[in-house]
Amino acid sequence: MATFRVNVKSSAGVWGVEGSELGVSRICLPHEYATASRGTAPEPVALCAHELGQYFAGARTSFTTTLAPVVATDFQRSVWRALQAIPYGTVRTYAELAQCAGHPRAARAVGNANHANPWPIVVPCHRVVARQGLGGYGGGAMVKRFLLEREGFVYD
């Protein structure tokens, strides 16, 4: 099944939503810009793009997007489930997320699982911060700050 791409603008840059009728397989960060596909987007891709637009406008705090099956380890899946449990506008440290995922000694590995997350924002890896400082983010510190501030959380 062919992958379809829709681009969504935000004040932090253009995000890409990729997927098929099976669901969204990837949300691309602003630095991963590519041309949008021509034609009518499959329903899950169109819905995700619409919901991201609402999120960027401040009108959405959760997502109903269908996520496509992806290849991942059981550990990654446990971290991604724990990410989805972090409420809008709040943050967790890597250590707290490791605890929530059932792997209390795996804070560093949690960071790697966050980096492998194919659905940023929808699976909110931006809500994970270091014990002292912002922590990393695949889209860069500016984009992470933008997302946290979008949710009303100001991190100094």
Side-chain angles (χ1 to χ4, degrees):
M1 191 171 286
T3 299
F4 196 95
R5 181 183 175 111
V6 172
N7 289 329
V8 181
K9 292 180 183 178
S10 79
S11 57
V14 178
W15 300 73
V17 179
E18 296 180 350
S20 67
E21 291 295 340
L22 297 176
V24 174
S25 55
R26 184 168 177 238
I27 297 174
C28 304
L29 298 162
H31 70 274
E32 300 172 312
Y33 181 80
T35 304
S37 301
R38 291 179 178 225
T40 303
E43 195 274 329
V45 176
L47 176 62
C48 185
H50 177 73
E51 289 184 346
L52 281 175
Q54 290 177 320
Y55 171 85
F56 293 133
R60 176 168 288 278
T61 61
S62 63
F63 296 88
T64 63
T65 298
T66 300
L67 304 178
V70 297
V71 175
T73 66
D74 289 342
F75 176 79
Q76 288 171 324
R77 289 183 196 288
S78 69
V79 170
W80 299 342
R81 280 190 300 274
L83 286 171
Q84 289 177 298
I86 302 172
Y88 179 91
T90 63
V91 296
R92 300 286 183 269
T93 65
Y94 292 98
E96 289 170 331
L97 188 64
Q99 183 75 33
C100 292
H103 304 278
R105 294 187 175 140
R108 191 169 299 217
V110 160
N112 291 331
N114 277 359
H115 186 71
N117 171 19
W119 309 288
I121 302 175
V122 173
V123 177
C125 51
H126 63 278
R127 295 181 189 153
V128 182
V129 297
R131 190 174 317 147
Q132 295 181 341
L134 191 61
Y137 188 69
M142 182 202 77
V143 173
K144 186 170 186 172
R145 275 196 173 85
F146 162 76
L147 294 171
L148 290 173
E149 289 173 4
R150 168 91 245 62
E151 297 184 14
F153 189 89
V154 179
Y155 202 87
D156 294 326

